[in-house]
């Protein structure tokens, strides 16, 4: 299984060219990192495909994801966890022991 956390967001962090961070309005439901939820202790790979979405692996869910979801709930956010079967290898654009980035199949 893979797990994706979605939650409501206030403002999302965006890096500037000078290395500083600015906060921009975010969508009502966003990935937990974009929503600004704390608790992530993960490698941040550079994935250039804008359609790619990050999910926790089973190990990542146990080690990081559950804590991130709990932090979001403690902050009073609406949290939705999406569980999916493992993706087809052709969908995967990044993978490590804790996370996987996939490009969703067109339906």
């Amino acid at each position: 299984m893979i797990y994706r956390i979605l939650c409501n967001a206030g403002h999302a962090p965006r890096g500037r060219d000078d290395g500083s961070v600015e906060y921009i309005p975010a969508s009502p439901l966003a990935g937990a990192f974009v929503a600004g939820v704390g608790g992530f202790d993960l490698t941040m790979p550079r994935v250039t495909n804008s359609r790619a979405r990050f999910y926790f692996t089973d190990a990542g869910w146990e080690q990081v994801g559950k804590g991130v979801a709990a932090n979001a709930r403690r902050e009073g956010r609406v949290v939705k966890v999406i569980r999916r079967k493992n993706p087809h290898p052709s969908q995967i654009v990044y993978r490590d022991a804790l996370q996987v980035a996939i490009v969703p199949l067109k339906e």
Side-chain angles (χ1 to χ4, degrees), residues 9-63:
H11 290 82
R14 181 172 68 182
R16 293 181 175 167
D17 291 336
D18 65 3
S20 64
V21 176
E22 69 177 327
Y23 289 86
I24 58 171
S27 64
L29 277 182
F33 180 77
V34 172
V37 177
F40 284 94
D41 185 20
L42 295 170
T43 303
M44 292 191 54
R46 185 168 204 98
V47 175
T48 57
N49 189 323
S50 62
R51 292 183 55 232
R53 299 295 179 256
F54 280 84
Y55 288 77
F56 291 105
T57 62
D58 284 322
W61 179 247
E62 291 298 323
Q63 294 178 33

Side-chain angles (χ1 to χ4, degrees), residues 6-12 24-32 34-35 77-80:
L6 297 177
C7 61
N8 60 329
H11 290 82
I24 58 171
S27 64
L29 277 182
V34 172
R77 298 174 187 257
V78 175
V79 176
K80 180 178 181 179

